[in-house]
Amino acid sequence: MSLDFLMDWGLIWLFLGQLLLILWNERALGRPLPRLWGKGAPLVSLLVPARNEEKTIGACLRSLLAQDYPNLEVLVLDDGSGDGTVAEVRRVAGSRVRVLNGAPLPPGWTGKNWACHQLSQAARGDLLCFVDSDTTLARDTVSAAVGMMEEEGAGLVSLVPRARRGSVGGRVLLPMVPHAMFALFPMALVHRPTHPGIAVAFGPFLLLAREAYDAAGGHAARAHSIVDDVELSRAVKAAGYPVRLANGSDLVETRWYESLGDIWRGFSKNAYGGVGYNPWMAAVVVLGLMPVLLLPFFRLGLGIVGGDIPAAVLWQVALLLANRLLTSHLGRDPLWSTLFHPVMVAFWGLALAWSAMLSATHRSVVWRDREVPTRPQELP
């Protein structure tokens, strides 16, 4: 039995296993069910940090004010915006929204953590729901998420959002987020208390019980963190509160990044933090996982040029594309972007490598008109 034969069939079985992982994750994450609430529903504080979001915050607030949940307050913190963000909030929401003027950024804090911390202190609700200002919610999102929190006894509920893709680059590259969630990691471990260090959350929609938020130290406990959503979910789980992640692609839509440059800067800022600033994990992903996922496409290209495509390679490519089609369906991403799957995988691997290099060399990324160090300990 030749080495090539073993490698070919090994990859086929690996990609079949990936398909099973996607189906397992689909069941583990599921989708929040609609829920009707009466007048006794707990107060939910919808908390929106905003910095220079004049173009997007209007749609966000309209979706928050249209929620069918009966007991809400909405707070917006203006984090030193230099555009018409506050005027847009007033125009859209009037007195239905409380607007806070953010205090100057203190040493040792990232901008978003500081804004969220101030919002948490001003909120009156028993439940705190952080929503990014470039995010919109379906009418029943809060009702469904609070219902899941109550049914699961969770301290934190987060929803995997659907990306609003304004450019071709976004349509090709941003499907990596749901693909990574469903196809590359056993997400059921997030829900298991036996793995306290394994937790994931998404900043566009974070619902927390105030008790769990306070027990975890809130945003103040990790004031320096760049990936604030992931770190907060890990802190909540470490404090002994269950964390629940669900597929919210039908409920939450967010504008992660617009242009190709924004996507590169955003991934460069967050990718290394997403693997816990662990150089060994980054090396495994960049030097191990990425080549394995790209090898069948490379061999297919060689086969096309040479006029001889091994059957095993066709099976491998077919399985990888089938897996990607399934994750694109789950994430409500355009199915045609599956044709560019190897481009997406290569881009993400390069972004992770670049993010790790920036961190290792103590360099920064400019984001929201602020310089963001890629090593949290390097914050002033």
Side-chain angles (χ1 to χ4, degrees):
M1 189 176 296
S2 70
L3 183 61
D4 287 345
F5 179 86
L6 290 174
M7 183 183 72
D8 285 343
W9 279 98
L11 289 178
I12 288 173
W13 282 108
L14 176 65
F15 300 146
L16 279 171
Q18 188 182 45
L19 175 60
L20 294 176
L21 176 63
I22 295 170
L23 297 175
W24 184 42
N25 282 336
E26 178 187 13
R27 181 170 182 177
L29 297 187
R31 297 179 187 270
L33 299 176
R35 177 75 178 268
L36 294 176
W37 291 89
K39 293 182 179 179
L43 176 62
V44 175
S45 297
L46 295 175
L47 309 175
V48 184
R51 179 176 172 84
N52 296 330
E53 294 289 356
E54 177 184 6
K55 295 180 180 179
T56 61
I57 198 166
C60 173
L61 292 178
R62 280 188 286 269
S63 76
L64 300 187
L65 295 170
Q67 292 297 299
D68 63 8
Y69 188 81
N71 196 10
L72 291 172
E73 66 168 358
V74 182
L75 286 74
V76 174
L77 183 132
D78 176 45
D79 185 19
S81 296
D83 64 359
T85 295
V86 174
E88 181 67 6
V89 172
R90 298 296 190 198
R91 186 187 70 82
V92 170
S95 61
R96 293 178 293 171
V97 170
R98 273 200 287 158
V99 179
L100 310 176
N101 292 319
L105 183 66
W109 287 79
T110 61
K112 186 175 180 183
N113 274 328
W114 176 235
C116 290
H117 172 70
Q118 294 174 83
L119 283 164
S120 72
Q121 291 188 315
R124 297 190 295 256
D126 297 319
L127 303 180
L128 308 177
C129 186
F130 296 94
V131 179
D132 282 355
S133 54
D134 53 7
T135 297
T136 57
L137 308 181
R139 178 176 169 78
D140 56 347
T141 302
V142 174
S143 295
V146 175
M148 170 174 277
M149 174 171 278
E150 183 181 78
E151 291 166 9
E152 302 285 345
L156 181 150
V157 169
S158 186
L159 303 179
V160 182
R162 177 176 74 256
R164 188 182 306 130
R165 301 161 297 268
S167 65
V168 173
R171 290 180 172 89
V172 170
L173 300 174
L174 292 181
M176 187 67 206
V177 176
H179 187 72
M181 291 296 100
F182 286 103
L184 300 180
F185 186 78
M187 296 304 299
L189 298 182
V190 172
H191 298 164
R192 296 188 179 178
T194 51
H195 299 81
I198 300 177
V200 178
F202 287 87
F205 186 93
L206 277 172
L207 176 68
L208 298 103
R210 184 181 285 276
E211 177 185 351
Y213 181 81
D214 291 341
H219 286 86
R222 284 153 180 80
H224 61 275
S225 177
I226 300 166
V227 284
D228 53 282
D229 44 11
V230 175
E231 291 295 336
L232 185 58
S233 69
R234 290 172 179 165
V236 168
K237 193 172 182 181
Y241 293 85
V243 169
R244 290 293 179 266
L245 182 66
N247 185 2
S249 59
D250 292 331
L251 299 172
V252 181
E253 183 179 57
T254 191
R255 188 202 68 175
W256 257 315
Y257 312 113
E258 286 289 331
S259 67
L260 186 61
D262 284 344
I263 297 171
W264 178 256
R265 285 188 294 274
F267 277 28
S268 298
K269 173 172 66 77
N270 293 332
Y272 193 42
V275 297
Y277 302 100
N278 186 324
W280 297 108
M281 179 63 71
V284 166
V285 173
V286 173
L287 302 178
L289 180 60
M290 295 298 117
V292 167
L293 296 177
L294 291 172
L295 179 61
F297 297 101
F298 178 74
R299 294 181 66 195
L300 177 64
L302 291 179
I304 292 173
V305 172
D308 180 23
I309 305 174
V313 171
L314 291 176
W315 276 106
Q316 293 164 14
V317 171
L319 283 170
L320 283 171
L321 294 180
N323 292 342
R324 168 58 195 281
L325 279 171
L326 183 53
T327 62
S328 290
H329 169 71
L330 293 172
R332 294 185 63 186
D333 290 312
L335 298 184
W336 61 260
S337 65
T338 299
L339 298 174
F340 298 92
H341 182 68
V343 175
M344 181 192 75
V345 172
F347 181 93
W348 191 83
L350 290 172
L352 175 57
W354 180 248
S355 180
M357 191 277 289
L358 289 175
S359 181
T361 56
H362 306 267
R363 296 170 66 183
S364 304
V365 173
V366 175
W367 190 255
R368 291 286 193 270
D369 302 320
R370 283 176 174 155
E371 190 170 299
V372 180
T374 53
R375 289 177 67 91
Q377 62 270 31
E378 294 301 316
L379 286 165

